[in-house]
């Protein structure tokens, strides 16, 4: 089921990105600068609403199929949210519907958090056009505001989600309003852990491009600029020996170490506020 989930979430994500690009650029003038510029443009603006309907249909159809399978096999679907893992019983269609929706929202949320980090690092055009189209006005916000956004937005989203998850008996009811807010704040902090993957990916590609010539494509210039910004706190440290620059390697190690320490701390913290 994990592979099926991944494929369906990826398909829905690509549809969503295409829809966002069409809304931001309905006449298609900027499409060559986007990652999805090769996708066919709908014939009219009204056709754009077909894409959200298809995504909703995928979510409902997946829930129905999982319900059929789960009802017969007594199967439960698990969803890892970092410091907590939710379990949805396949025998209940309502839980499968929520699982299907939350699974897609998690994929969408993580992807947009990645885009937000790329926006904070502010790489060069034309590749940054894709980030700008997807994030809209958020891309023009200050770095400080964008740095705080994952914590604030995720905390609010989880606070709202707890009411639905409690009603379906997926999570226990918090002891008090303060208890609910405390859990939400920890979940907000957990959102930053998603940046580990995109940060490491940027540094690895930058490291490879430092020693292997891949051509003068805008993508490589964008990755190098983003990685250099990411490594800027290490500039005062002499990490270059001759022609060899160890900054990307040190950066990768630091990202893994900080992410591991933060994950352990947040697990402990959530364990305290969850009881």
């Amino acid at each position: 089921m994990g592979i099926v989930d991944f494929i369906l979430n990826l398909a829905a994500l690509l549809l969503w990105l295409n829809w966002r690009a069409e809304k931001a650029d309905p006449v298609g003038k900027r499409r060559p600068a986007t990652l999805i510029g090769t996708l066919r443009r709908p014939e009219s603006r009204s056709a754009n609403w077909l894409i959200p309907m298809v995504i909703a249909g995928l979510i409902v159809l997946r829930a129905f199929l999982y319900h059929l399978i789960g009802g017969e096999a007594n199967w439960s679907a698990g969803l890892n949210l970092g410091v907590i893992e939710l379990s949805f019983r396949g025998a209940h269609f309502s839980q499968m519907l929520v699982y299907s929706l939350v699974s897609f929202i998690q994929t969408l949320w993580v992807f947009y958090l990645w885009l937000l980090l790329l926006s904070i690092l502010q790489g060069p055009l034309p590749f940054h056009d894709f980030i700008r189209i997807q994030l809209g006005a958020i891309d023009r916000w200050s770095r400080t505001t964008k740095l705080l956004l994952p914590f604030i937005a995720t905390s609010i989203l989880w606070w709202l989600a707890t009411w639905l998850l409690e009603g379906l008996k997926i999570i226990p009811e918090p002891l008090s309003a303060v208890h609910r807010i405390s859990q939400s704040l920890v979940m907000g902090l957990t959102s930053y852990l998603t940046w580990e993957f995109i940060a490491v990916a940027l540094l690895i590609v930058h490291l490879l491009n430092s020693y292997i010539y891949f051509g003068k494509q805008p993508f490589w210039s964008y990755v190098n600029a983003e990685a250099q910004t990411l490594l800027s706190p290490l500039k005062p440290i002499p990490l270059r020996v001759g022609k060899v620059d160890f900054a990307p390697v040190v950066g990768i190690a630091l990202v893994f170490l900080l992410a591991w320490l933060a994950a352990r701390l947040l697990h402990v913290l959530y364990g305290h506020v969850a009881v």
Side-chain angles (χ1 to χ4, degrees), residues 8 11-16 18-19 42 47-62 100 104:
L8 291 178
L13 175 62
L14 291 174
L15 286 171
W16 176 275
N18 188 42
W19 179 61
N48 286 339
W49 291 103
L50 178 63
I51 296 179
M53 292 174 62
V54 171
I55 295 174
L58 282 174
I59 291 172
V60 174
L61 179 61
R62 176 170 64 177
S100 184
F104 169 65

Side-chain angles (χ1 to χ4, degrees), residues 33-275:
T34 70
L35 294 179
I36 48 178
T38 57
L39 297 180
R40 182 181 178 184
R41 182 167 56 90
E43 296 299 327
S44 65
R45 293 189 182 185
S46 60
N48 286 339
W49 291 103
L50 178 63
I51 296 179
M53 292 174 62
V54 171
I55 295 174
L58 282 174
I59 291 172
V60 174
L61 179 61
R62 176 170 64 177
F64 180 72
L65 292 176
Y66 285 2
H67 172 60
L68 290 179
I69 297 172
E72 295 293 332
N74 195 27
W75 169 77
S76 295
L79 193 63
N80 191 337
L81 299 180
V83 295
I84 183 175
E85 184 165 350
L86 306 179
S87 181
F88 301 82
R89 288 172 289 179
H92 299 271
F93 177 73
S94 59
Q95 290 201 13
M96 285 295 95
L97 184 59
V98 172
Y99 166 74
S100 184
L101 177 62
V102 173
S103 178
F104 169 65
I105 290 176
Q106 182 190 33
T107 301
L108 190 67
W109 194 252
V110 169
F111 186 81
Y112 270 86
L113 288 175
W114 290 355
L115 293 185
L116 186 64
L117 177 59
L118 296 178
S119 176
I120 292 170
L121 298 175
Q122 198 67 36
L125 298 174
F127 202 83
H128 191 77
D129 274 339
F130 173 73
I131 313 296
R132 183 174 297 165
I133 288 173
Q134 294 299 325
L135 293 181
I138 295 175
D139 184 61
R140 298 189 294 271
W141 293 2
S142 68
R143 280 186 173 177
T144 302
T145 304
K146 287 187 284 189
L147 279 170
L148 293 174
L149 185 59
F151 170 69
I152 297 172
T154 304
S155 298
I156 294 173
L157 186 63
W158 178 254
W159 183 84
L160 293 172
T162 56
W163 301 93
L164 174 62
L165 297 175
E166 289 165 24
L168 294 173
K169 308 299 181 183
I170 295 173
I171 62 172
E173 183 179 354
L175 302 177
S176 64
V178 174
H179 192 225
R180 187 190 303 273
I181 293 174
S182 299
Q183 290 181 349
S184 300
L185 294 178
V186 175
M187 292 299 293
L189 292 173
T190 305
S191 65
Y192 292 107
L193 296 179
T194 62
W195 284 355
E196 172 190 4
F197 307 102
I198 187 65
V200 169
L202 284 172
L203 294 176
I204 289 176
V205 174
H206 171 63
L207 178 63
L208 292 175
N209 193 40
S210 299
Y211 299 99
I212 304 174
Y213 181 69
F214 292 111
K216 294 183 178 181
Q217 298 298 324
F219 173 75
W220 305 116
S221 300
Y222 182 84
V223 169
N224 289 335
E226 296 268 280
Q228 289 292 348
T229 304
L230 199 60
L231 292 172
S232 57
L234 298 179
K235 284 185 177 180
I237 306 174
L239 295 174
R240 180 179 290 274
V241 179
K243 294 184 178 180
V244 181
D245 185 9
F246 289 97
V249 177
V250 174
I252 292 170
L254 281 175
V255 170
F256 277 130
L257 177 61
L258 293 175
W260 180 79
L261 290 174
R264 293 292 299 269
L265 178 62
L266 288 171
H267 270 95
V268 173
L269 189 58
Y270 191 85
H272 282 296
V273 301
V275 294

